[in-house]
Amino acid sequence: MKIGIIGLGRMGGNIARRLMRAGHETVVFDRNQPAIEMLAAESAIAAASLEDMKSKLDAPAIFWVMLPAGDPTEQTVTSIAALCGAGDIIIDGGNSFYKDDIRRAKTLAEKGIRYIDVGTSGGVWGLERGYCMMIGGDKDAVDHIDPMLAALAPGLGTIPRTPGRMADDGEDARAEQGYIHAGPAGAGHFVKMVHNGIEYGLMQAYAEGFDILKGKASEHLAEDQRFDLNLTDIAEVWRRGSVISSWLLDLSAIALAKDMTLEDFTGSVADSGEGQWTIDAAMEEKVPANVLTAALFARYRSRVDHTFGDKLLSAMRYGFGGHVEMPQ
Amino acid sequence: MKIGIIGLGRMGGNIARRLMRAGHETVVFDRNQPAIEMLAAESAIAAASLEDMKSKLDAPAIFWVMLPAGDPTEQTVTSIAALCGAGDIIIDGGNSFYKDDIRRAKTLAEKGIRYIDVGTSGGVWGLERGYCMMIGGDKDAVDHIDPMLAALAPGLGTIPRTPGRMADDGEDARAEQGYIHAGPAGAGHFVKMVHNGIEYGLMQAYAEGFDILKGKASEHLAEDQRFDLNLTDIAEVWRRGSVISSWLLDLSAIALAKDMTLEDFTGSVADSGEGQWTIDAAMEEKVPANVLTAALFARYRSRVDHTFGDKLLSAMRYGFGGHVEMPQ
Amino acid sequence: MKIGIIGLGRMGGNIARRLMRAGHETVVFDRNQPAIEMLAAESAIAAASLEDMKSKLDAPAIFWVMLPAGDPTEQTVTSIAALCGAGDIIIDGGNSFYKDDIRRAKTLAEKGIRYIDVGTSGGVWGLERGYCMMIGGDKDAVDHIDPMLAALAPGLGTIPRTPGRMADDGEDARAEQGYIHAGPAGAGHFVKMVHNGIEYGLMQAYAEGFDILKGKASEHLAEDQRFDLNLTDIAEVWRRGSVISSWLLDLSAIALAKDMTLEDFTGSVADSGEGQWTIDAAMEEKVPANVLTAALFARYRSRVDHTFGDKLLSAMRYGFGGHVEMPQ
Amino acid sequence: MKIGIIGLGRMGGNIARRLMRAGHETVVFDRNQPAIEMLAAESAIAAASLEDMKSKLDAPAIFWVMLPAGDPTEQTVTSIAALCGAGDIIIDGGNSFYKDDIRRAKTLAEKGIRYIDVGTSGGVWGLERGYCMMIGGDKDAVDHIDPMLAALAPGLGTIPRTPGRMADDGEDARAEQGYIHAGPAGAGHFVKMVHNGIEYGLMQAYAEGFDILKGKASEHLAEDQRFDLNLTDIAEVWRRGSVISSWLLDLSAIALAKDMTLEDFTGSVADSGEGQWTIDAAMEEKVPANVLTAALFARYRSRVDHTFGDKLLSAMRYGFGGHVEMPQ
């Protein structure tokens, strides 16, 4: 197939590469000219503008937008839509808020444009491992781009198959290949959003666990209660036969093998929206989500020295007990 | 009554004063000689040692130990016990762990010494307001010291009586005076421990709320979404007719009235043991206590710049997405 | 002053009464005719419709809407606005979402209508105690209705004044009377929203603490580790001189004095929106709020028997360890 | 090697089998005679008692105790120790509290008995996958049993090696084989304890995520906001190329493939001690661990219908607002 890709950053560039490796043609555009040239050197077709891209695509035209969520994606989708007619397909492969998808799909449907949202997991490893994709949109459009999706997905690979699947009950055969059609527009990003919410929770569980391992050598403990544990070896051993083996643990083991002190990192941790939206969804549904929320808040907390709330605690303690603050 | 008081810090000194104002006699001792002299100048009887104190008390001797929990209290109780005989009373008015009380009471009972644990709330305000006391120990001993307890307690005062109390069912008439006999040895400190656990939770609820009020002016929000709220006035207005009025809010209002920025405080917040023991108790009982625990952990977190766990989060994010850390 | 009140439920009815006691005139309307008649019998002026109410008010007309947040308030404000002209005042005294206030104020301002949002705390006790009010809107409008607000507020009463207030720095003298002008439209409900968020946190702190007290008699503990504590007396004693005394504790003491088992309650606990919005605000501001969130989630959890997540935990445990579930 | 195994349940029986497959000899004992006979039929040597086992072992004798933590393990270790002399080795392969290990090792060392604690992860899958083992004790003893440990461990297998390991810095080569010597007595169980604490956190992160996915079809949402998601396919697709792939997710996929409703499970979830001890350790070290704690408390909560705290919340809400409870 021939596909236009807008946004050639870490994710978009590799998506173009993986598609080309599978024999698909890509027409590529980015605000940043060198990014286009780099892909063109790998046999992608360079586009000078969205209009140019449109003219270089077959009908129906297929656009894959791979930009930061929010304004960049919104504006680009709008610009592309202005060039499109009935049957054309616009895919948002970024991390958009799923309610934006629902809105956009409705608006674009009035012109006959087909909108697909693809939640894409895999990070910088996706070029080699393939991308796990959660897809929302109309069936005919999702079916139309299936060759592309199949090329991007990891495929069965060496991962053992799940016993009991596909016995009977209308499961999606694509799931084993690493992509699913999750539901109507928005469903793809909704599932990806929850994926990231879970990701925050898993990461924080490991973070707290390693904190406790490291803290076992701390001066808060009597000397005969301390262990000086080798965190690198512990991460490695847990990868092998333990209940908590995972890809995030693999990554932790790599980082710790490189430097057990992790001193290259300050510990100021970003969050990218999906964690917050996951909590919003939980609250709308009235689902308690203490772990996912605590994981998100740990990131907020990592980015400030002291909260005003902390100061108020100290002020109250001074107020009732005359307590002065601890030296830090 | 005549009572020996050991430990003349913020709490012990004022307890002696409040007892003397009510006409009781106190014999006082502290490692710190000037503290003894200050009380002696207010007509307390100075003791040069525990032995000297014992010799100046009537029989049965009554000792009130008001020292930091842990070793200082343990050693002092042991030293006093060595001087005592059947019928004498040792009161631990500090913040001891209730399991230590249970153990001590059992040991001392073998010599006929009566052990009473008194959880004492009221802080630096207790001299004027009186002390709220939660008491554990044998009935006869607690009854014996009742005149002292009544003098220390706030009494009915101006606080409205609770409708429906004392209709019938074996309630403790002393509760309205501000002290109760909670149960056998350990029960006093157990109730006080939970009191402090709740205190942490209440404080953190206010802290988070004021953080959110203050954050409403932050640059995380679009400019037309910001409010620049007067926290001093808000604390004041909530004192008057709102559902969340409380003494801790009164203290917050005082602190904010003095300086709305609270810039005299760094926000490094101590915890004194009871919060942790409360969570231990919850876990032993299999009671979920998310709020009390989160309040405790907020204090731990306030005392470090970055956790090792935070660094591990950043390392994982770099590992899967090539993400670099946010500038703080 | 003369004021129209729409919505004569628990809150609106008593607000009318408290205004009339202070000598103000009220014109009242409710969907429910008997509610109107009851107030009319107490010398309110009955209105047969919003139009009728408008005709019975002086210029500028003042409407106080006291209805459930969401559609009921939205539709009523819209209907009233259609009857109003420049200078008229519409007050939303309910629990509206503050972003709705910002939007409404902007829309109504185009017609010259003045919109005021009043967050009102005090519950069923407000008639006697007065209402704590947090107010958003333009200064001239808020000043215009000041006589009304002063009548509704608790006033100085017997609550001790906060030392250090009003020394200098532009504080709001009304705060000591129990109401403040918090800022532009939306600011009133924003402050009230955070108030309720804090309220959830405070309530849950007490709930967990009493759970731990009660659990001290549970069979999870060895028999010699149990205390059978009198929760009624404990609630009472904490009201008197302790650090955690508060109005919510007073209410707990009343409930426990009536029945220490609380068996009239099932423990299925509602939430009314503000808790959720408070967490939304925290996330928008990137403020960690673990306690307020845990308090909200405890309510969600109280309303289901088992979550699907719980079942998944059991399924995983069976998967890796062959564990079967505990009998409950 | 020849090794005595006490406790032939799910874990102990398979450990014996895996050792025998690797050519080691096992002498087996269990309170339950049929369990002995089953292993004997697979060529283990049956022991009629601990004394009998001792007589059938070579010197130094090696005992592997695989019993529930607490009294069963304590009593058995004590009984074995009475039969042992200098140089004999007692291994506790169960889930003992690490402070018990420290104490036991010290006591047994007085008689020259060598005590080793082995935290063993792998569950019912360990027979085939091998066991991940975290080991505490003196170096000479751990080295002595290395052939056994190597046989039990998973070995390198098909799991990709961690880039950057073993470059230089004193890492433990055994980690890649799936076992480590973590430190002195207690260190093995300490690391395994934290492993289980993390496990609880990971499990709860998935549980909450799937709860939110399922809740997206709930009546709390407007009809046009609902998605009816196929959880089975989602679990499957996340196994393939996503950031959150893990063994626990594999198990979830298996369970959901069997029955997407999970209706065979009630959702009453046990905890086995390590989660609680992990929180104890965090508190001793002053490390915040909100996620691990929330995961533990979710299990406590899953085992009760309503907490007393929930009832108190309802009582307070009735008290201040006249609110009655929601129908559940």
Side-chain angles (χ1 to χ4, degrees):
Chain A
M1 305 186 86
K2 203 169 183 181
I3 180 164
I5 298 180
I6 303 95
L8 305 173
R10 264 194 302 260
M11 292 292 287
N14 283 343
I15 280 173
R17 284 182 188 94
R18 192 166 167 99
L19 284 172
M20 292 189 289
R21 287 187 191 177
H24 296 289
E25 288 179 282
T26 64
V27 187
V28 299
F29 180 70
D30 194 285
R31 282 191 322 184
N32 179 26
Q33 184 63 23
I36 299 179
E37 284 160 17
M38 188 177 306
L39 265 294
E42 301 174 42
S43 81
I45 302 164
S49 65
L50 295 176
E51 290 77 5
D52 186 37
M53 178 178 282
K54 175 70 166 66
S55 72
K56 287 173 170 162
L57 290 170
D58 303 330
I62 305 172
F63 297 86
W64 181 294
V65 181
M66 202 69 200
L67 293 169
D71 288 348
T73 295
E74 185 72 24
Q75 288 163 12
T76 303
V77 168
T78 305
S79 301
I80 295 171
L83 307 170
C84 287
D88 290 335
I89 293 175
I90 302 175
I91 302 162
D92 176 3
N95 276 327
S96 288
F97 185 41
Y98 74 95
K99 293 189 182 181
D100 289 334
D101 296 314
I102 297 174
R103 174 180 48 74
R104 285 181 202 143
K106 194 174 289 181
T107 307
L108 297 183
E110 292 165 12
K111 288 186 61 181
I113 300 170
R114 298 180 290 176
Y115 180 86
I116 295 175
D117 54 291
V118 179
T120 312
S121 182
V124 294
W125 300 65
L127 177 58
E128 301 307 327
R129 284 172 110 219
Y131 296 94
C132 173
M133 290 172 293
M134 298 137 264
I135 304 152
D138 288 340
K139 184 178 183 313
D140 70 303
V142 177
D143 286 349
H144 183 76
I145 63 168
D146 191 73
M148 256 180 59
L149 298 169
L152 289 172
L156 268 179
T158 58
I159 297 171
R161 300 182 72 168
T162 297
R165 266 195 74 78
M166 309 303 299
D168 48 357
D169 42 326
E171 290 162 9
D172 187 337
R174 291 166 289 194
E176 285 196 325
Q177 306 294 325
Y179 65 113
I180 54 167
H181 182 196
H189 278 141
F190 183 84
V191 174
K192 175 56 163 49
M193 173 195 84
V194 176
H195 167 281
N196 283 31
I198 293 172
E199 175 189 306
Y200 285 23
L202 301 179
M203 290 172 72
Q204 185 65 21
Y206 288 115
E208 294 179 3
F210 279 94
D211 237 359
I212 295 168
L213 291 175
K214 189 175 183 69
K216 191 62 184 161
S218 86
E219 58 188 15
H220 289 295
L221 303 174
E223 215 156 327
D224 65 355
Q225 289 291 315
R226 296 180 201 165
F227 295 132
D228 188 17
L229 299 165
N230 185 307
L231 306 187
T232 305
D233 288 340
I234 292 172
E236 182 62 29
V237 82
W238 284 348
R239 296 181 63 228
R240 301 182 171 277
S242 99
V243 170
I244 65 172
S245 61
S246 72
W247 193 55
L248 285 164
L249 181 63
D250 293 348
L251 297 175
S252 300
I254 293 171
L256 290 164
K258 193 175 160 211
D259 173 14
M260 194 162 81
T261 69
L262 298 180
E263 72 186 359
D264 287 351
F265 301 95
T266 61
S268 179
V269 190
D271 72 282
S272 61
E274 293 90 353
Q276 176 178 344
W277 301 333
T278 300
I279 307 312
D280 279 330
M283 293 195 296
E284 289 179 0
E285 300 173 7
K286 308 300 176 196
V287 166
N290 286 296
V291 158
L292 304 192
T293 310
L296 178 66
F297 289 169
R299 296 190 176 195
Y300 295 167
R301 185 61 186 82
S302 79
R303 305 197 306 248
V304 291
D305 278 342
H306 285 291
T307 69
F308 183 74
D310 291 340
K311 292 172 194 273
L312 185 61
L313 294 179
S314 286
M316 284 190 249
R317 294 185 83 243
Y318 180 77
F320 64 72
H323 302 293
V324 293
E325 289 184 315
M326 300 179 77
Q328 200 168 353
Chain B
M1 306 187 85
K2 202 170 184 181
I3 178 163
I5 299 179
I6 303 97
L8 305 173
R10 262 193 303 262
M11 293 291 288
N14 283 342
I15 281 173
R17 286 180 186 96
R18 193 166 167 98
L19 285 171
M20 292 189 289
R21 288 187 190 176
H24 296 289
E25 286 179 283
T26 64
V27 186
V28 299
F29 179 68
D30 193 285
R31 282 191 321 183
N32 179 27
Q33 183 65 24
I36 300 179
E37 285 161 16
M38 189 178 302
L39 265 293
E42 300 174 44
S43 80
I45 302 163
S49 64
L50 296 177
E51 291 75 5
D52 185 38
M53 177 179 282
K54 175 72 166 66
S55 73
K56 288 173 169 162
L57 290 172
D58 303 330
I62 305 172
F63 297 87
W64 181 294
V65 181
M66 201 69 199
L67 292 169
D71 287 348
T73 295
E74 185 73 24
Q75 288 163 12
T76 303
V77 169
T78 305
S79 301
I80 296 171
L83 307 171
C84 287
D88 289 335
I89 293 176
I90 303 176
I91 302 163
D92 176 3
N95 277 326
S96 288
F97 186 41
Y98 73 96
K99 293 188 182 181
D100 288 335
D101 296 314
I102 297 175
R103 173 179 49 76
R104 285 181 202 142
K106 195 173 291 182
T107 307
L108 298 182
E110 292 164 14
K111 289 185 60 180
I113 301 170
R114 298 181 289 177
Y115 180 85
I116 296 175
D117 53 291
V118 180
T120 313
S121 182
V124 293
W125 300 65
L127 176 59
E128 300 307 328
R129 285 170 111 219
Y131 297 93
C132 173
M133 289 171 292
M134 297 138 264
I135 304 152
D138 287 340
K139 185 176 184 312
D140 71 303
V142 177
D143 286 351
H144 182 79
I145 64 168
D146 191 73
M148 255 180 58
L149 297 169
L152 289 172
L156 265 179
T158 59
I159 296 171
R161 301 182 73 167
T162 297
R165 265 195 74 79
M166 309 303 302
D168 47 0
D169 40 327
E171 289 162 11
D172 187 338
R174 291 166 287 193
E176 285 196 326
Q177 307 294 326
Y179 64 115
I180 54 169
H181 182 195
H189 278 142
F190 184 84
V191 174
K192 174 57 162 47
M193 173 195 84
V194 176
H195 167 280
N196 283 30
I198 293 172
E199 175 190 307
Y200 285 24
L202 301 179
M203 288 171 73
Q204 186 65 20
Y206 288 115
E208 294 180 4
F210 278 96
D211 235 0
I212 296 169
L213 291 174
K214 188 173 184 71
K216 191 62 183 161
S218 85
E219 56 188 17
H220 289 296
L221 303 174
E223 215 156 328
D224 66 353
Q225 290 291 315
R226 297 181 200 163
F227 294 133
D228 187 17
L229 300 165
N230 185 306
L231 306 188
T232 304
D233 288 340
I234 291 172
E236 182 62 28
V237 82
W238 284 347
R239 298 181 62 229
R240 300 182 171 278
S242 99
V243 170
I244 64 171
S245 60
S246 72
W247 193 53
L248 285 164
L249 181 63
D250 294 348
L251 297 176
S252 300
I254 293 170
L256 289 164
K258 191 174 161 214
D259 173 13
M260 193 163 79
T261 70
L262 299 179
E263 70 186 359
D264 286 351
F265 300 94
T266 61
S268 179
V269 190
D271 71 282
S272 60
E274 293 89 353
Q276 175 178 344
W277 301 334
T278 301
I279 308 310
D280 278 331
M283 293 196 295
E284 289 180 359
E285 300 172 8
K286 308 300 176 195
V287 166
N290 285 296
V291 158
L292 304 193
T293 311
L296 178 65
F297 288 169
R299 295 190 176 194
Y300 294 167
R301 185 63 186 79
S302 80
R303 304 196 307 247
V304 290
D305 278 343
H306 286 290
T307 68
F308 184 74
D310 290 341
K311 291 172 194 274
L312 185 62
L313 294 178
S314 285
M316 283 191 250
R317 294 186 82 246
Y318 180 76
F320 64 71
H323 302 293
V324 293
E325 288 185 313
M326 302 180 76
Q328 199 166 352
Chain C
M1 305 186 86
K2 200 170 185 181
I3 180 163
I5 297 179
I6 303 96
L8 305 174
R10 265 192 303 259
M11 293 291 287
N14 283 343
I15 281 173
R17 283 181 188 95
R18 191 164 167 100
L19 284 171
M20 291 189 290
R21 288 188 191 175
H24 297 288
E25 288 178 283
T26 65
V27 186
V28 298
F29 179 70
D30 194 286
R31 281 191 321 181
N32 178 25
Q33 185 62 25
I36 300 179
E37 284 161 18
M38 190 177 304
L39 264 294
E42 300 174 45
S43 81
I45 302 163
S49 65
L50 295 176
E51 291 77 3
D52 186 38
M53 177 179 282
K54 175 72 166 67
S55 73
K56 287 171 169 161
L57 291 170
D58 303 330
I62 305 172
F63 297 87
W64 182 294
V65 181
M66 201 68 199
L67 293 170
D71 288 348
T73 295
E74 186 72 25
Q75 288 163 12
T76 302
V77 168
T78 305
S79 300
I80 295 170
L83 307 171
C84 285
D88 289 335
I89 292 175
I90 302 176
I91 302 162
D92 177 3
N95 276 327
S96 287
F97 185 43
Y98 74 95
K99 293 189 181 180
D100 289 333
D101 296 315
I102 297 175
R103 173 180 49 76
R104 283 181 203 144
K106 194 173 291 181
T107 307
L108 297 183
E110 291 165 14
K111 288 185 62 179
I113 301 170
R114 299 181 289 177
Y115 180 86
I116 296 174
D117 55 290
V118 180
T120 313
S121 183
V124 293
W125 300 64
L127 177 58
E128 300 307 327
R129 285 170 110 221
Y131 297 93
C132 174
M133 288 172 294
M134 298 139 262
I135 304 153
D138 287 340
K139 184 177 184 310
D140 71 302
V142 176
D143 286 349
H144 183 77
I145 62 168
D146 191 73
M148 255 181 59
L149 296 170
L152 288 173
L156 267 179
T158 59
I159 297 171
R161 299 183 75 166
T162 296
R165 266 195 73 79
M166 310 302 300
D168 47 359
D169 41 327
E171 289 162 11
D172 187 337
R174 291 167 287 194
E176 285 196 326
Q177 307 295 325
Y179 64 113
I180 55 167
H181 182 195
H189 278 142
F190 184 85
V191 175
K192 174 56 162 49
M193 174 196 82
V194 176
H195 166 281
N196 284 31
I198 294 172
E199 175 190 305
Y200 285 24
L202 301 179
M203 288 172 72
Q204 185 65 21
Y206 288 115
E208 294 180 4
F210 279 95
D211 236 0
I212 295 169
L213 291 175
K214 187 174 184 69
K216 192 60 183 162
S218 86
E219 57 188 18
H220 289 295
L221 303 174
E223 216 156 327
D224 66 353
Q225 289 292 315
R226 296 182 200 163
F227 295 132
D228 187 19
L229 300 164
N230 185 308
L231 306 187
T232 304
D233 287 341
I234 292 171
E236 182 62 29
V237 83
W238 285 347
R239 296 180 63 227
R240 301 183 171 278
S242 99
V243 169
I244 64 172
S245 62
S246 72
W247 194 54
L248 286 164
L249 181 64
D250 293 346
L251 297 176
S252 300
I254 293 171
L256 289 165
K258 193 175 159 213
D259 172 13
M260 195 163 79
T261 70
L262 299 179
E263 70 186 359
D264 286 351
F265 300 94
T266 62
S268 178
V269 190
D271 71 283
S272 61
E274 292 90 354
Q276 176 178 345
W277 301 332
T278 301
I279 308 310
D280 279 330
M283 293 195 296
E284 289 180 358
E285 301 172 7
K286 308 298 175 197
V287 167
N290 285 296
V291 158
L292 304 193
T293 311
L296 178 65
F297 288 169
R299 295 191 177 196
Y300 295 168
R301 185 61 186 82
S302 80
R303 305 197 305 248
V304 290
D305 278 341
H306 285 290
T307 68
F308 183 74
D310 291 340
K311 291 172 194 274
L312 185 62
L313 294 178
S314 286
M316 283 191 251
R317 294 186 82 245
Y318 180 76
F320 64 70
H323 302 294
V324 293
E325 288 184 314
M326 302 179 76
Q328 200 167 349
Chain D
M1 306 187 86
K2 201 168 182 182
I3 179 163
I5 298 178
I6 302 96
L8 305 174
R10 264 193 302 260
M11 292 292 287
N14 284 342
I15 281 173
R17 285 182 187 96
R18 193 166 167 98
L19 285 172
M20 292 189 287
R21 287 187 191 176
H24 296 289
E25 287 180 283
T26 65
V27 186
V28 298
F29 179 70
D30 194 285
R31 284 192 320 182
N32 179 27
Q33 184 64 23
I36 301 180
E37 284 160 18
M38 190 176 304
L39 265 294
E42 301 174 42
S43 79
I45 301 164
S49 65
L50 295 177
E51 290 77 4
D52 185 37
M53 177 179 283
K54 175 71 165 65
S55 73
K56 289 173 170 161
L57 291 171
D58 303 330
I62 305 172
F63 297 87
W64 181 294
V65 181
M66 201 68 202
L67 291 170
D71 288 347
T73 294
E74 185 73 24
Q75 288 163 12
T76 303
V77 168
T78 305
S79 301
I80 295 171
L83 307 171
C84 287
D88 289 334
I89 294 175
I90 302 176
I91 303 162
D92 176 2
N95 277 326
S96 287
F97 186 41
Y98 74 97
K99 294 188 180 179
D100 289 333
D101 296 315
I102 297 174
R103 174 180 48 74
R104 285 181 203 144
K106 195 173 290 181
T107 307
L108 297 183
E110 292 165 13
K111 290 186 58 180
I113 301 171
R114 299 181 289 176
Y115 179 86
I116 297 174
D117 53 291
V118 180
T120 313
S121 182
V124 293
W125 300 64
L127 177 57
E128 301 306 329
R129 286 172 110 218
Y131 297 93
C132 174
M133 289 171 293
M134 297 137 263
I135 303 153
D138 288 341
K139 185 177 182 315
D140 70 304
V142 176
D143 285 349
H144 183 76
I145 62 167
D146 191 74
M148 255 181 57
L149 297 169
L152 288 172
L156 267 178
T158 59
I159 296 171
R161 301 182 73 168
T162 297
R165 265 194 74 78
M166 310 302 301
D168 48 358
D169 41 327
E171 290 163 10
D172 188 337
R174 291 167 288 194
E176 285 195 327
Q177 307 295 325
Y179 64 113
I180 54 168
H181 182 196
H189 279 142
F190 184 83
V191 175
K192 175 56 164 47
M193 173 196 84
V194 176
H195 166 282
N196 284 30
I198 294 173
E199 175 190 306
Y200 285 24
L202 301 179
M203 288 172 72
Q204 186 65 20
Y206 287 115
E208 293 180 3
F210 278 95
D211 236 359
I212 295 169
L213 291 175
K214 189 175 183 69
K216 191 60 183 163
S218 87
E219 59 189 13
H220 289 296
L221 304 174
E223 215 156 328
D224 66 353
Q225 289 291 316
R226 298 181 200 165
F227 294 133
D228 188 17
L229 300 165
N230 185 306
L231 307 187
T232 305
D233 288 341
I234 292 171
E236 181 62 28
V237 82
W238 285 348
R239 297 181 62 228
R240 301 182 171 278
S242 98
V243 170
I244 65 171
S245 61
S246 73
W247 193 55
L248 285 164
L249 181 63
D250 294 347
L251 297 175
S252 300
I254 293 171
L256 289 164
K258 192 174 159 211
D259 173 13
M260 194 162 81
T261 68
L262 298 180
E263 70 186 359
D264 286 351
F265 300 95
T266 61
S268 179
V269 190
D271 72 283
S272 61
E274 292 90 354
Q276 176 178 344
W277 300 333
T278 301
I279 307 312
D280 279 330
M283 293 195 296
E284 289 179 358
E285 301 172 6
K286 308 301 176 195
V287 166
N290 285 295
V291 158
L292 304 194
T293 311
L296 178 66
F297 288 169
R299 296 189 177 196
Y300 295 167
R301 185 61 186 83
S302 80
R303 305 196 307 247
V304 290
D305 278 341
H306 285 291
T307 67
F308 184 74
D310 291 339
K311 292 172 194 274
L312 185 63
L313 294 178
S314 285
M316 283 191 249
R317 294 186 82 244
Y318 180 77
F320 64 70
H323 302 293
V324 292
E325 289 184 313
M326 301 179 76
Q328 200 167 351

